[in-house]
Amino acid sequence: MGFGGRGMSAVMQSPRVLSLIPPMTQLNTPYPSTAYLTGFLRSQGVDAVQQDLALALVLRLFSADGLARVREHIATLSPSARTPLVEGFDTHFDLYQGTVGPVIAFLQGRDSTVAHRICSRRFLPEGPRFDALDVYVDPDDPEGGDPLAWAFGALGMQDRARHLATLYLNDLADVLRDAVDERFEFVRYAESLAQAQPTFEPLAQALAAPHNLVDDLLAELTLAAIEREAPQVVLLSVPFPGAVYAAFRIAQTIKSRHPQIVTLLGGGFVNTELRELTEARVFDYFDYVMLDAGERPLLALLEHLKGKRSQQRLVRTYVRDGESGKVRYINFMEADVPFEQIGTPTWDGLPLDHYLSLLDMLNPMHRLWSDGRWNKLTVAHGCYWKKCSFCDVSLDYISRYETASAATLVDRIEAIIAETGQTGFHFVDEAAPPKMLRALAEELLRRNVAISWWGNIRFEKSFTPDLCQLLADSGCIAISGGLEVASDRLLKLMKKGVSVDQVARVTHGFTEAGILVHAYLMYGFPTQTVHDTVDALEYVRQLFAAGCIQSGFFHRFVCTVHSPVGKNPEEYGVTLLPLPEISFAKNDVGFHDPSGVDHNSLGEALNKALYNYMHGIGLEDDVRRWFTGRVPRTSVPRDFVALALAAGR
């Protein structure tokens, strides 16, 4: 029996599984997929280990040796290929090489005293990213001397230094992008090669190109991990399009040096975009591609590799047929592992003291995504609401809703604290159910377990002020939730199940309990008019001014093939544009909205307004000031949120 058409040995004895996090995911904390899978596999008696190559690559690049290799590459460039940024790096190389080590150690929390030198503004070389400091001015003293004093105050030296160090790293990332790899990003690395790409060709061409310095370093790290762990099976979990290119480079390196190793591809990107995969070239890199929750497919595959299960009994797995060379999807119907039984994630093998706490955004809520080492955990699998018209409600990660008991969840929390020594938790649910959060809070308090936690919810009326206070007492410091377009008409069309006045009361209840609130916001939804957009911004302004929300993020609506809008566009007044023939990734789909609104220009205004609101600026101004062209006056009463809050008392 051959595996993936490679003619490999038919039977493996208890294969060792190495799960890898590919670049780029997060730098402040491990992406949780490998921790979940490693913990589950170990609970099943499988020899399982994990490595974070995303972090390893950044630490290798941003080191004295890594910067020296960047400079060596710059020396090979023609003068016309050197941007002013690259020239500045080359000119001040000694400063960069001498400071990169202390900066990394500081951001890892290993050397706090260097904050004094960073804050002096005479220690770090400052490139264009530091120009952003000009926006931090005291509204009451715009001519003041220190632009960061207003943002951080006299006592915030560590935060001030972390922000300056983050700007320094961003400058260096820009140098890498200009001189070495134009696709380099800390998060969205080369994502255009994979995101909604109908064919494999752009990725294939990139993978066939000669290695650049980033590719070379990633290959070195990959081979070192293989030598260190000696696996028979390597699993690459790819959550985002921005991790796909590097995952394929890793698999390419493994197959070139260790062709006998079985390589697997899974994760959020695969679950969302590769559901109609027919591209056989993917299997030059990966022997198997798996969909949805990985526990059951992995157990089935390991049994297959040990000769205890035929290939025909694999679960949710793509293979390349050894005879025809075509892609086959095999899905032997077998129940998923219940959420109650998936076990406790483990971070064993991940260098928890080497992650970088960055401070991109000064807003205290917004910074949580990049600052601090959070243990990521799930309260429930899937979404209990699963009705929102813009969401991929037809896919397993949304549609299959399962919970575990509060006792089980707190058992997992206690085990994770014992392993990591860290008491910060980020619950990464699509929307944590209020009933489960209440039970979890009561169990934490009953056991006297002290943690700090934050997570994602729906702004529904079940979150009463009493429940908000209970959650705060249990350690909740922040929550995020979808307000989307702040318009009752559009919220109803979206099937959000909430109204603007309800959101105001719920978010105010969290704020009153001392819990920070972040709102996910959307623009460009089908039939959304310019007037809708202006009104939505007015609602958002009032929510900030009333202290209901402290942070937010506007994203442009994207229609996906798995959402209700993508499946039933006529119900939302739009027409889908035809998709090309697809053999690789399928997710985003264009549409024609007869309203004809230029949402791109509106988006610039929305994001500018929101950035200022998060810094407490412009909260009393007419929202029309943020738009460059003429827009209609808002029809929202200026006291709408105040009246909604008064009515809820």
Side-chain angles (χ1 to χ4, degrees):
M1 169 183 2
F3 300 123
R6 292 188 178 276
M8 291 175 279
S9 170
V11 176
M12 288 185 180
Q13 298 298 322
S14 300
R16 180 175 172 87
V17 179
L18 169 61
S19 295
L20 295 176
I21 302 173
M24 293 293 186
T25 48
Q26 282 185 271
L27 297 180
N28 65 308
T29 199
Y31 195 78
S33 56
T34 65
Y36 264 98
L37 291 174
T38 302
F40 170 73
L41 290 174
R42 288 184 181 181
S43 74
Q44 303 297 305
V46 176
D47 184 9
V49 291
Q50 59 187 328
Q51 296 278 316
D52 188 343
L53 293 189
L55 177 68
L57 177 63
V58 168
L59 295 182
R60 181 68 64 87
L61 279 168
F62 296 92
S63 66
D65 177 66
L67 295 189
R69 292 178 69 169
V70 172
R71 194 189 197 195
E72 289 171 7
H73 174 75
I74 290 173
T76 68
L77 300 177
S78 66
S80 62
R82 298 186 182 203
T83 65
L85 185 63
V86 172
E87 289 284 8
F89 169 78
D90 193 39
T91 300
H92 301 289
F93 174 75
D94 289 345
L95 275 175
Y96 280 107
Q97 190 177 44
T99 52
V100 68
V103 165
I104 293 295
F106 170 70
L107 291 173
Q108 291 174 330
R110 296 188 292 111
D111 188 0
S112 62
T113 58
V114 77
H116 295 270
R117 298 199 66 190
I118 293 174
C119 288
S120 74
R121 302 291 297 278
R122 295 180 177 86
F123 180 58
L124 300 182
E126 297 188 358
R129 290 285 188 153
F130 285 77
D131 294 344
L133 296 179
D134 293 340
V135 305
Y136 303 130
V137 294
D138 186 341
D140 299 320
D141 183 18
E143 303 300 324
D146 182 0
L148 287 177
W150 172 60
F152 293 107
L155 300 179
M157 183 178 63
Q158 292 293 318
D159 279 351
R160 184 191 301 223
R162 192 176 297 121
H163 184 57
L164 293 169
T166 301
L167 296 176
Y168 166 92
L169 286 190
N170 287 334
D171 268 334
L172 286 175
D174 293 342
V175 171
L176 280 171
R177 193 158 44 254
D178 281 4
V180 177
D181 186 345
E182 64 182 3
R183 302 162 304 207
F184 184 83
E185 296 278 356
F186 280 136
V187 177
R188 297 178 172 179
Y189 179 35
E191 74 171 3
S192 63
L193 296 175
Q195 186 173 35
Q197 278 286 0
T199 77
F200 188 66
E201 193 57 33
L203 195 54
Q205 291 180 13
L207 293 167
H211 279 203
N212 59 40
L213 174 60
V214 179
D215 297 325
D216 283 339
L217 292 177
L218 183 57
E220 292 171 13
L221 292 166
T222 299
L223 293 174
I226 296 299
E227 182 177 353
R228 183 166 55 249
E229 303 294 353
Q232 287 77 48
V233 176
V234 172
L235 166 63
L236 281 144
S237 180
V238 180
F240 318 117
V244 173
Y245 168 75
F248 273 80
R249 275 297 195 196
I250 291 168
Q252 183 183 54
T253 298
I254 293 172
K255 287 303 181 189
S256 68
R257 295 286 289 272
H258 303 281
Q260 77 283 1
I261 292 178
V262 176
T263 51
L264 320 177
L265 179 66
F269 168 80
V270 178
N271 303 339
T272 304
E273 303 212 19
L274 299 190
R275 304 194 76 86
E276 298 180 22
L277 179 66
T278 60
E279 174 56 72
R281 287 179 291 177
V282 169
F283 297 87
D284 293 337
Y285 307 86
F286 293 97
D287 299 298
Y288 302 94
V289 178
M290 297 178 170
L291 295 181
D292 299 328
E295 289 84 3
R296 183 60 68 195
L298 273 173
L299 290 182
L301 178 64
L302 293 176
E303 287 184 6
H304 172 54
L305 295 178
K306 291 190 287 186
K308 297 181 178 180
R309 178 185 288 243
S310 69
Q311 189 181 71
Q312 287 68 37
R313 296 181 67 238
L314 293 177
V315 177
R316 295 195 300 272
T317 301
Y318 287 104
V319 301
R320 180 167 59 186
D321 186 80
E323 296 181 3
S324 68
K326 293 184 178 180
V327 178
R328 292 175 54 208
Y329 180 62
I330 304 170
N331 186 17
F332 182 76
M333 298 305 293
E334 200 164 330
D336 274 299
V337 177
F339 183 68
E340 180 89 24
Q341 298 174 19
I342 61 172
T344 301
T346 178
W347 282 266
D348 180 44
L350 300 178
L352 298 183
D353 57 343
H354 286 175
Y355 285 86
L356 308 173
S357 281
L358 305 177
L359 188 47
D360 292 296
M361 175 72 77
L362 306 186
N363 181 280
M365 171 73 211
H366 216 81
R367 65 188 283 183
L368 293 179
W369 277 272
S370 63
D371 184 19
R373 232 289 297 148
W374 302 97
N375 299 308
K376 292 183 180 286
L377 197 62
T378 309
V379 174
H381 182 281
C383 179
Y384 66 97
W385 179 250
K386 53 189 174 188
K387 295 178 183 178
C388 298
S389 57
F390 54 83
C391 189
D392 293 340
V393 296
S394 61
L395 299 185
D396 176 78
Y397 80 99
I398 297 288
S399 64
R400 181 167 59 87
Y401 175 64
E402 291 184 19
T403 63
S405 68
T408 296
L409 291 175
V410 179
D411 286 346
R412 291 173 183 172
I413 287 170
E414 290 188 310
I416 291 167
I417 293 171
E419 179 187 285
T420 67
Q422 300 282 338
T423 60
F425 285 81
H426 178 196
F427 297 137
V428 292
D429 300 71
E430 297 303 313
K435 182 183 291 187
M436 281 304 306
L437 287 180
R438 177 184 292 276
L440 175 63
E442 290 172 344
E443 185 70 7
L444 286 168
L445 292 168
R446 187 184 69 79
R447 296 197 201 180
N448 200 25
V449 176
I451 66 171
S452 301
W453 65 268
W454 59 293
N456 198 47
I457 64 161
R458 293 181 63 252
F459 293 131
E460 62 169 74
K461 59 186 178 183
S462 301
F463 288 104
T464 62
D466 286 345
L467 178 54
C468 293
Q469 188 59 57
L470 175 68
L471 299 183
D473 293 342
S474 75
C476 181
I477 59 170
I479 58 96
S480 57
L483 172 55
E484 318 310 347
V485 178
S487 157
D488 284 337
R489 178 184 74 83
L490 291 172
L491 287 171
K492 185 175 181 180
L493 185 62
M494 289 177 175
K495 300 179 182 175
K496 280 292 295 184
V498 299
S499 61
V500 178
D501 58 342
Q502 176 182 314
V503 169
R505 287 191 287 270
V506 170
T507 54
H508 189 260
F510 278 110
T511 299
E512 287 290 287
I515 296 170
L516 296 170
V517 181
H518 174 90
Y520 292 108
L521 302 161
M522 182 186 296
Y523 66 99
F525 193 75
T527 74
Q528 184 175 352
T529 65
V530 174
H531 207 161
D532 286 331
T533 302
V534 174
D535 282 353
L537 186 57
E538 172 61 18
Y539 283 126
V540 170
R541 183 198 67 79
Q542 291 187 31
L543 289 169
F544 270 101
C548 295
I549 60 178
Q550 290 75 47
S551 172
F553 181 77
F554 268 111
H555 66 276
R556 174 75 179 268
F557 168 75
V558 175
C559 181
T560 70
V561 295
H562 311 295
S563 69
V565 176
K567 290 183 174 296
N568 304 292
E570 66 282 353
E571 295 181 13
Y572 302 89
V574 297
T575 305
L576 299 186
L577 302 180
L579 288 169
E581 185 176 345
I582 290 173
S583 59
F584 187 54
K586 181 180 180 182
N587 189 38
D588 302 354
V589 55
F591 62 94
H592 172 69
D593 187 339
S595 66
V597 175
D598 179 10
H599 293 294
N600 287 333
S601 62
L602 296 176
E604 293 177 9
L606 295 173
N607 284 302
K608 185 177 181 180
L610 194 63
Y611 185 85
N612 281 274
Y613 292 165
M614 286 193 289
H615 291 90
I617 300 171
L619 288 172
E620 298 303 319
D621 296 347
D622 189 315
V623 296
R624 288 177 294 175
R625 69 163 285 194
W626 305 110
F627 298 91
T628 53
R630 290 180 61 86
V631 296
R633 181 190 300 271
T634 179
S635 61
V636 178
R638 200 163 173 84
D639 58 355
F640 177 90
V641 167
L643 291 175
L645 296 180
R649 293 192 179 100

